[in-house]
Amino acid sequence: MRCTRMIDRAKATDKLSKLVEKRLTSQQMYWSAEVDFDKNTDDNRRIDYVGFKAYTPDYVTTPVSVEKGTFVCYEVKSCWNDFKSGHGLSFYGDENYLVCPKELAEEIIAKQAVDRRNLNGILVPNKSGTALYQKYELQNTHLTARTRNASEMLWAIVQAHQRPRRVEEDK
């Protein structure tokens, strides 16, 4: 899927982003968009969405509920140009997903253009465009890609909440 116009790219990104937000909310995750890691360093990375769900066996919160919780990262890509832009594709979570249109997912898989080591799957919108489903499950050989501790991940989510939102979100 090629980007033909910036307007189309922005609309596609907005639609996919809303589906990620719907998914995170329905899974009752604490989440934030545009989460920065290693800010003010040469290694600065921004992840489109990071969600967190505490570990609560039998729905009981314990002292280790935060540290054993699950962090899920989502990167949204609207078209091939966006995918190859060099921005994003930072996967720091226990689970990591690429979110894109179905045609782009098929192109990425056909060209073997994605590093499967830290990626659990590729999510695409369903036929009605109301939810995301996993089009491709990638064989992630690691139990987790996360190398950062829970407090650092949660702090980054909290800081992203404090950042002013984009103008489009306020409408």
Side-chain angles (χ1 to χ4, degrees):
M1 177 176 204
R2 303 283 176 213
C3 297
T4 54
R5 298 187 330 224
M6 286 304 282
I7 294 170
D8 295 338
R9 182 172 169 175
K11 282 184 178 180
T13 299
D14 185 55
K15 181 179 177 182
L16 292 167
S17 295
K18 286 180 178 165
L19 291 175
V20 172
E21 292 171 9
K22 181 178 178 181
R23 179 183 177 98
L24 286 162
T25 301
S26 71
Q27 293 178 349
Q28 299 179 340
M29 290 198 162
Y30 179 73
W31 63 271
S32 192
E34 300 181 357
V35 180
D36 287 308
F37 290 91
D38 301 320
K39 197 169 184 173
N40 301 321
T41 72
D42 291 340
D43 295 324
N44 183 40
R45 297 289 182 271
R46 177 173 284 178
I47 300 175
D48 291 335
Y49 290 91
V50 180
F52 171 73
K53 184 137 189 157
Y55 174 73
T56 54
D58 300 322
Y59 303 100
V60 176
T61 303
T62 66
V64 296
S65 291
V66 170
E67 200 56 49
K68 286 190 171 186
T70 302
F71 290 90
V72 183
C73 296
Y74 297 89
E75 288 287 354
V76 176
K77 297 296 176 189
S78 58
C79 62
W80 185 257
N81 293 345
D82 187 15
F83 177 73
K84 295 304 282 182
S85 70
H87 300 289
L89 299 181
S90 299
F91 297 112
Y92 294 158
D94 298 303
E95 298 175 20
N96 300 290
Y97 296 97
L98 179 62
V99 179
C100 61
K102 180 182 172 191
E103 299 81 14
L104 178 57
E106 291 168 351
E107 186 174 3
I108 289 168
I109 292 300
K111 293 181 177 180
Q112 298 181 357
V114 70
D115 182 355
R116 296 173 177 239
R117 287 177 291 177
N118 294 331
L119 191 60
N120 295 81
I122 300 176
L123 305 176
V124 301
N126 62 10
K127 286 184 180 182
S128 62
T130 57
L132 294 171
Y133 75 95
Q134 188 164 306
K135 173 76 174 163
Y136 296 102
E137 180 177 347
L138 304 177
Q139 298 301 327
N140 182 350
T141 57
H142 299 77
L143 293 176
T144 180
R146 180 161 59 109
T147 58
R148 296 161 187 272
N149 62 41
S151 59
E152 178 184 2
M153 298 282 290
L154 283 170
W155 181 243
I157 292 172
V158 168
Q159 286 181 309
H161 271 293
Q162 295 173 351
R163 189 175 332 131
R165 292 187 165 252
R166 295 185 314 234
V167 175
E168 298 88 33
E169 294 173 349
D170 295 333
K171 291 181 181 176

